[in-house]
Amino acid sequence: MSDKEWVSWFRQSSPYINAHRKKTVVLTLCGEALDDENLINIVHDIALLNSLGVRLVVAFGARPQIDSRLAEAGIKSDFHLGLRVTHEAMLEHILEVSGRLRAKLEAKLSTGIVNSPMHGAKIRVCSGNFVMARPVGVLEGTDLCHTGKVRRIDSEAITSLLDSGAVVLLPSLGYSVTGDAFNLSYEDVASTAAAALKAEKLILLTDKSGIEDGSGCLIRELTIADGRELLAASEQLDSLARAQLKAACEACANGVKRSHIISYKSNGAILEELFTRDGGGTMVSSDDYEQVRPAEIGDLNGIMELIEPLEEQGVLVRRSRELIETEIGYFTVDERDGAIIGCAALYPFPEDQAGELSCFAVRADYRRHGRGDTILEAVEKRARSLGFSRLFVLTTQTEHWFIERGFEKSSKDELPGHKQSNYNLQRNSKVFVKYL
């Protein structure tokens, strides 16, 4: 990236920096991530987020480290329904591993040497008995012993630490009122904590770019329903992907706005996910991250930014800002994460039971991804609701796109009378119509 590109990216990230300041983000580090060479970059990014005012909770796992430690001790692990059966003899080794990993993270987050991204950070790292747990109990005849589930998160204590600017660490351990310790799933800890803290986001780091479909392609976005359907029907998800997708869906179902599953191997993946519009992993959303809706007056600037370049190229007829402001009620927009990435207007000719599709634009970096089809579908639905029997469009450069979507070539003589009288002979636009 050149210096100018970096400056441009940094400026464009400003709205996201402002949006995340003072917001709570729960981040997970699986045991594999803690042993990966990219961990140091993740630590640097945690420090950067802390300096930007993001309230960070880091939940970490220890599965491979526990496997290794138990093997060293000559203890065989048994698993039942995907859960480790945690016998009493295992517990001291699990506590040892968890304490060692916590100390490792605390040490790395305490770095402050000159010429390091951590210089001057002075991060306060806190951990404690914030997770209350209960035993999973006996499942299908098997007692899972000290394997537990999260019962409650001490959100008041964690919030107090976050208010002071600290980074809070949550190991995959929980405690009970009887004084027992339990081995927990870090995904369960993270998901429950995110919901209890009313976190803005849950970010889960995995060994892949995100959740992949059967062909190995990244799935960029999922609703809660999509995610649960994938969990129920898909066999291609490995145990890690399954656990993380389940945690992401549960967090969103319990009030977290968005969950992101990204790669711990990718340098800067956390920053990319938080400070760019599209991110780089899989997002699970409980709300309409992208929505096609009627335009509002606040969308005017976004619409102008879309259509002005196309007006310069002669693709669209020039319209003044004042004209679009008065006609804003005719517009439909495609909004993605607060930005207008597409728009179209439906001008009514009720006496002819017809509507004109006009001012149709999709931002360049979102073309060829079906956004135009989504907007067209919304406009057609609106036209039908108004009782129109046909939709017509005048175009100079995109005739094939409309033909592929059911529009037929027509002539200016078939236009509504008022439109015929205003037809611009100099532009010599071609007329296409679609019967609804």
Side-chain angles (χ1 to χ4, degrees):
M1 180 183 289
S2 69
D3 288 345
K4 287 187 177 180
E5 287 174 331
W6 181 88
V7 169
S8 176
W9 176 86
F10 193 60
R11 287 172 177 159
Q12 290 173 10
S13 70
S14 297
Y16 297 97
I17 294 173
N18 294 329
H20 290 103
R21 186 178 292 116
K22 297 183 179 180
K23 297 294 175 61
T24 300
V25 173
V26 176
L27 174 70
T28 74
L29 293 173
C30 58
E32 292 83 356
L34 294 174
D35 285 339
D36 192 81
E37 62 181 12
N38 194 48
L39 177 64
I40 188 60
N41 293 317
I42 294 172
V43 169
H44 291 163
D45 291 347
I46 289 173
L48 176 58
L49 293 175
N50 181 255
S51 71
L52 292 173
V54 178
R55 297 152 59 90
L56 277 171
V57 176
V58 180
F60 63 92
R63 287 173 192 141
Q65 292 86 355
I66 290 172
D67 288 340
S68 177
R69 183 67 189 91
L70 292 177
E72 289 175 8
I75 299 174
K76 181 180 180 297
S77 288
D78 294 319
F79 290 85
H80 179 67
L81 300 178
L83 298 172
R84 189 191 304 270
V85 180
T86 308
H87 299 292
E88 183 79 32
M90 295 178 173
L91 200 56
E92 62 176 292
H93 300 290
I94 291 173
L95 293 173
E96 174 197 327
V97 168
S98 180
R100 176 164 47 83
L101 291 176
R102 186 181 72 185
K104 176 180 179 178
L105 279 172
E106 288 175 348
K108 289 188 177 298
L109 286 166
S110 299
T111 306
I113 58 175
V114 177
N115 296 327
S116 160
M118 303 285 289
H119 180 58
K122 297 181 180 179
I123 298 173
R124 188 192 313 162
V125 185
C126 299
S127 188
N129 60 336
F130 305 136
V131 181
M132 302 304 291
R134 64 171 179 82
V136 170
V138 179
L139 295 181
E140 297 184 2
T142 299
D143 186 356
L144 277 81
C145 303
H146 283 271
T147 297
K149 285 183 65 68
V150 177
R151 182 176 184 180
R152 182 175 62 83
I153 299 290
D154 190 348
S155 56
E156 184 177 348
I158 295 174
T159 298
S160 177
L161 292 169
L162 294 175
D163 288 343
S164 73
V167 172
V168 176
L169 296 184
L170 298 179
S172 52
L173 294 173
Y175 309 97
S176 72
V177 293
T178 60
D180 292 308
F182 291 95
N183 180 27
L184 308 178
S185 154
Y186 76 90
E187 295 97 343
D188 183 24
V189 172
S191 178
T192 309
L197 294 166
K198 298 180 173 57
E200 185 79 4
K201 292 178 183 289
L202 168 63
I203 299 178
L204 301 118
L205 298 183
T206 187
D207 57 343
K208 299 183 177 65
S209 298
I211 300 299
E212 298 177 348
D213 62 19
S215 62
C217 294
L218 178 67
I219 301 173
R220 297 301 305 272
E221 299 168 20
L222 289 167
T223 63
I224 298 172
D226 292 336
R228 286 174 172 168
E229 183 179 342
L230 187 60
L231 285 167
S234 176
E235 297 180 355
Q236 82 260 11
L237 297 178
D238 59 31
S239 58
L240 179 59
R242 182 171 291 279
Q244 294 197 334
L245 180 56
K246 183 174 182 289
C249 291
E250 288 180 353
C252 289
N254 287 291
V256 178
K257 290 184 178 179
R258 295 170 196 162
S259 296
H260 304 263
I261 302 172
I262 60 177
S263 172
Y264 61 74
K265 296 177 179 292
S266 176
N267 187 8
I270 299 171
L271 302 182
E272 182 182 8
E273 199 66 35
L274 289 177
F275 299 134
T276 65
R277 180 166 292 121
D278 297 315
T282 298
M283 181 184 70
V284 179
S285 172
S286 60
D287 57 3
D288 292 326
Y289 173 66
E290 181 173 339
Q291 56 175 327
V292 176
R293 57 170 177 78
E296 302 167 353
I297 195 65
D299 300 321
L300 184 59
N301 287 339
I303 292 173
M304 294 302 299
E305 288 178 6
L306 274 178
I307 67 174
E308 283 176 348
L310 296 176
E311 290 175 349
E312 293 291 336
Q313 298 167 26
V315 177
L316 296 179
V317 176
R318 289 188 180 275
R319 290 174 172 81
S320 68
R321 183 184 182 89
E322 293 73 22
L323 178 62
I324 291 182
E325 185 173 357
T326 62
E327 296 178 342
I328 196 71
Y330 295 145
F331 278 77
T332 294
V333 294
D334 186 356
E335 177 190 358
R336 181 181 174 88
D337 201 17
I340 304 302
I341 62 168
C343 69
L346 175 65
Y347 291 99
F349 293 85
E351 64 281 3
D352 293 276
Q353 293 186 320
E356 180 188 7
L357 175 63
S358 186
C359 216
F360 198 167
V362 175
R363 215 175 77 179
D365 48 341
Y366 286 95
R367 292 171 194 161
R368 296 184 297 277
H369 295 290
R371 265 67 181 199
D373 292 291
T374 303
I375 297 171
L376 177 59
E377 182 180 347
V379 171
E380 290 179 359
K381 183 177 179 180
R382 189 174 183 181
R384 291 188 188 96
S385 71
L386 294 171
F388 298 163
S389 60
R390 61 191 174 111
L391 192 65
F392 67 88
V393 62
L394 278 68
T395 181
T396 57
Q397 299 180 30
T398 55
E399 60 181 281
H400 281 260
W401 191 89
F402 288 106
I403 290 172
E404 290 168 5
R405 284 150 184 84
F407 283 78
E408 302 172 7
K409 192 168 184 179
S410 186
S411 69
K412 64 182 180 66
D413 297 329
E414 299 297 319
L415 294 172
H418 176 65
K419 190 65 183 179
Q420 282 189 45
S421 61
N422 290 327
Y423 180 81
N424 188 334
L425 292 172
Q426 189 172 3
R427 277 183 63 83
N428 194 29
S429 300
K430 296 181 180 180
V431 179
F432 290 87
V433 63
K434 184 174 183 178
Y435 294 93
L436 304 175

